[in-house]
Amino acid sequence: MRLKNWEIGHDLETVRGVITGSPQYPDGTGVETSRIMAAAYDGEIFLIKTKHSVYECEERDYVGDPEQLLIFIRTMVNDPGGTTKAIHL
């Protein structure tokens, strides 16, 4: 599944966006994920894993606050005790 026009939630634990490729929701539906369990980033694409789903989010489709995205990246990489675990690609 892919999220377009996405942003990191203010709590850094969810992602909001417009979904495509979902078996549950029609393409173009706005969704907010459940809590992020893991995240990976390769410099262009984020893979965001929640309890039941994995979302592909392209950095170029990010529409949120750029500072919020930087905080999310720093948190997932530098906080081994945090709730989001980074997966290095």
Side-chain angles (χ1 to χ4, degrees):
M1 290 179 287
R2 177 171 281 179
L3 290 179
K4 302 263 187 189
N5 301 327
W6 65 282
E7 61 185 326
I8 301 293
H10 294 290
D11 55 7
L12 298 178
E13 293 190 359
T14 63
V15 177
R16 294 183 292 268
V18 177
I19 199 163
T20 60
S22 169
Q24 285 184 289
Y25 301 101
D27 286 356
T29 301
V31 297
E32 182 166 1
T33 69
S34 58
R35 189 171 72 78
I36 297 168
M37 305 297 289
Y41 177 59
D42 71 358
E44 294 179 22
I45 296 174
F46 289 87
L47 294 178
I48 307 289
K49 183 183 182 312
T50 63
K51 186 173 183 178
H52 299 290
S53 301
V54 176
Y55 301 90
E56 185 177 308
C57 305
E58 291 188 45
E59 184 175 6
R60 68 181 180 181
D61 291 334
Y62 184 74
V63 297
D65 178 8
E67 185 63 28
Q68 190 79 355
L69 184 59
L70 288 174
I71 292 168
F72 176 75
I73 292 169
R74 288 181 191 134
T75 300
M76 91 177 182
V77 171
N78 295 323
D79 186 8
T83 58
T84 301
K85 302 300 181 202
I87 300 169
H88 300 285
L89 298 178

